[in-house]
Amino acid sequence: MDRHDRQIRVSEIGKQGQQKISAATLLIVGCGALGTYCAEQLVRGGIKNIILVDPDSVDETNLQRQALFVTDDATSRLKKVTAAKKQLQRIDPQVQVTTYPCSFEQVVFEELGTIDLILDCTDNFHTRSLINLYAYHHELPFVFGACNRTTGQVMALHPCKQPCLHCVFPQLDGLEKEDCSTVGVLTPLVPFVTSLQVALVYKILLDDPTLSWQTMTYADLWHSALDHYLIKKKATCPVCSEKKTTSAVAVEAKKICGTDVYQTTLSPLQQHALLENSRRHSAILKENPLAAKIQIGTIELTLFKNGKVLIYGLTPKNSRLLPEFLQMIVKGATYDSENRSLDHQ
Ligand SMILES: [Zn+2]
């Protein structure tokens, strides 16, 4: 008897659908409440290849709402991805689980191999913004999920075809990190929200005709209510529209006391634009999973994966033009002009 027999009997899945589920590789970013419940359901449902990304270790306050973890994992401060892998392979010894005990921005994307879709199971908008960019540039679908007190939000996104997460939340880069450590989350809300996420994963893998890339579902567990909102692609979206407006975002830098080094922080979008432009102009001197060293004329930049930038080689004269310079490096204009705008004004 096939261990997935009861699911195969569901006409929406069937034998062919089950085969598609088994053949898929999923990237789950975030191995907390959403990530662990999604992973457990997906492995029980027949997924055989999973990549887990999360930098944290299990602690006692996780056990209230995160599946897969037990008290011993918290006592020994096991990495979440390690504890999750152990439990997932007890559920199905055939499942392949690749673990990255680091943040998403530290993952070397080239190592990930072929992925069918991404599950956004994070708790902050900085990482969500990066997932959105990654999905857009790799033409991948992803499933967004969020939990907050007694309500949740779920949406299937295909940023290169339909609205991206920036179209849904135009202030994505500026949204504060708000997670359940500050707002709280009801224990049964998590399986409620992740069930909706996993159903969307199935629909994507099965290319189900009822799947919508434009519907945000709001789930209110306390009132047993589901609401759906139509989301449209924004004509001026800085990520997915034809008229990208990255350069319109202001960038400011501050001098680090007692040094000639300036420091600033770029949004994920600006960071991505800077890296892409630098690669195109072969301006990257060195790059590793944590940082990239970039040379633009006489100026050298170190761009860290968390968006922090250190700027070396500025003189008192040209440092006055730093805001304009930063605008330009994000736009990619300075490479061609050999930094002339900065030195000759
Ligand atoms: Zn967009």
Side-chain angles (χ1 to χ4, degrees):
M1 178 70 77
D2 190 312
R3 70 187 281 157
H4 303 108
D5 174 70
R6 297 299 185 275
Q7 181 165 272
I8 291 169
R9 286 169 191 261
V10 177
S11 61
E12 282 81 354
I13 305 292
K15 224 179 171 78
Q16 279 194 338
Q18 190 62 45
Q19 280 166 358
K20 286 181 185 167
I21 291 169
S22 300
T25 298
L26 306 187
L27 168 62
I28 300 183
V29 185
C31 207
L34 295 173
T36 52
Y37 267 99
C38 280
E40 174 164 352
Q41 289 184 61
L42 288 162
V43 168
R44 289 193 189 278
I47 292 287
K48 299 290 181 201
N49 288 289
I50 281 191
I51 302 164
L52 299 175
V53 179
D54 196 303
D56 293 339
S57 302
V58 183
D59 80 46
E60 205 183 0
T61 65
N62 300 148
L63 303 176
Q64 163 259 346
R65 68 193 178 286
Q66 303 187 7
L68 302 175
F69 306 144
V70 293
T71 307
D72 279 353
D73 299 331
T75 311
S76 54
R77 300 286 292 155
L78 211 56
K79 283 285 180 191
K80 286 184 172 179
V81 291
T82 309
K85 177 178 179 173
K86 191 177 71 176
Q87 203 61 24
L88 291 170
Q89 290 185 326
R90 287 183 69 192
I91 294 168
D92 183 353
Q94 287 186 338
V95 68
Q96 297 290 321
V97 184
T98 308
T99 57
Y100 287 88
C102 61
S103 61
F104 183 61
E105 58 209 21
Q106 290 171 329
V107 171
V108 179
F109 297 133
E110 291 73 23
E111 280 179 14
L112 291 175
T114 307
I115 295 163
D116 293 289
L117 69 84
I118 307 171
L119 274 117
D120 166 17
C121 295
T122 60
D123 60 3
N124 67 84
F125 279 92
H126 174 79
T127 311
R128 288 197 167 110
S129 187
L130 288 177
I131 295 171
N132 189 53
L133 275 173
Y134 182 81
Y136 174 74
H137 286 282
H138 290 81
E139 299 181 17
L140 283 171
F142 78 100
V143 178
F144 162 79
C147 276
N148 187 326
R149 301 182 71 256
T150 60
T151 63
Q153 299 161 51
V154 176
M155 185 172 177
L157 296 121
H158 208 323
C160 66
K161 296 181 182 169
Q162 293 286 346
C164 79
L165 205 58
H166 250 282
C167 298
V168 185
F169 302 105
Q171 302 304 317
L172 193 56
D173 279 339
L175 287 174
E176 287 295 314
K177 179 180 171 174
E178 189 183 67
D179 63 30
C180 54
S181 61
T182 48
V183 296
V185 62
L186 203 68
T187 299
L189 176 67
V190 184
F192 186 48
V193 166
T194 53
S195 297
L196 296 169
Q197 280 187 287
V198 170
L200 288 176
V201 170
Y202 280 7
K203 284 184 166 198
I204 294 170
L205 295 179
L206 273 53
D207 210 5
D208 188 278
T210 65
L211 172 68
S212 164
W213 300 109
Q214 295 183 300
T215 305
M216 172 68 83
T217 299
Y218 279 82
D220 180 341
L221 181 61
W222 208 245
H223 298 97
S224 306
L226 285 181
D227 282 319
H228 305 285
Y229 296 89
L230 180 71
I231 308 281
K232 294 215 166 134
K233 207 171 177 74
K234 286 214 161 41
T236 54
C237 176
V239 175
C240 71
S241 75
E242 295 303 315
K243 303 174 205 153
K244 296 188 177 69
T245 54
T246 318
S247 58
V249 187
V251 190
E252 283 177 12
K254 282 194 184 124
K255 194 173 177 189
I256 300 175
C257 273
T259 69
D260 290 327
V261 183
Y262 284 74
Q263 181 187 313
T264 188
T265 303
L266 299 182
S267 72
L269 206 57
Q270 294 166 329
Q271 204 180 326
H272 182 80
L274 172 57
L275 272 177
E276 286 290 294
N277 289 325
S278 303
R279 285 198 188 104
R280 205 172 307 132
H281 292 88
S282 307
I284 297 188
L285 301 176
K286 226 192 244 175
E287 196 174 3
N288 65 36
L290 291 176
K293 198 176 261 190
I294 299 164
Q295 180 90 47
I296 304 171
T298 55
I299 312 293
E300 198 177 293
L301 308 169
T302 303
L303 169 64
F304 294 92
K305 284 281 172 90
N306 63 4
K308 192 174 274 186
V309 186
L310 297 178
I311 305 155
Y312 305 87
L314 286 169
T315 62
K317 188 181 150 211
N318 65 19
S319 66
R320 284 198 305 277
L321 294 159
L322 195 55
E324 288 83 352
F325 173 67
L326 288 169
Q327 289 280 351
M328 289 173 72
I329 61 169
V330 168
K331 269 201 288 188
T334 45
Y335 304 94
D336 298 327
S337 60
E338 293 285 324
N339 204 19
R340 217 171 294 141
S341 60
L342 204 61
D343 289 337
H344 295 273
Q345 284 186 38

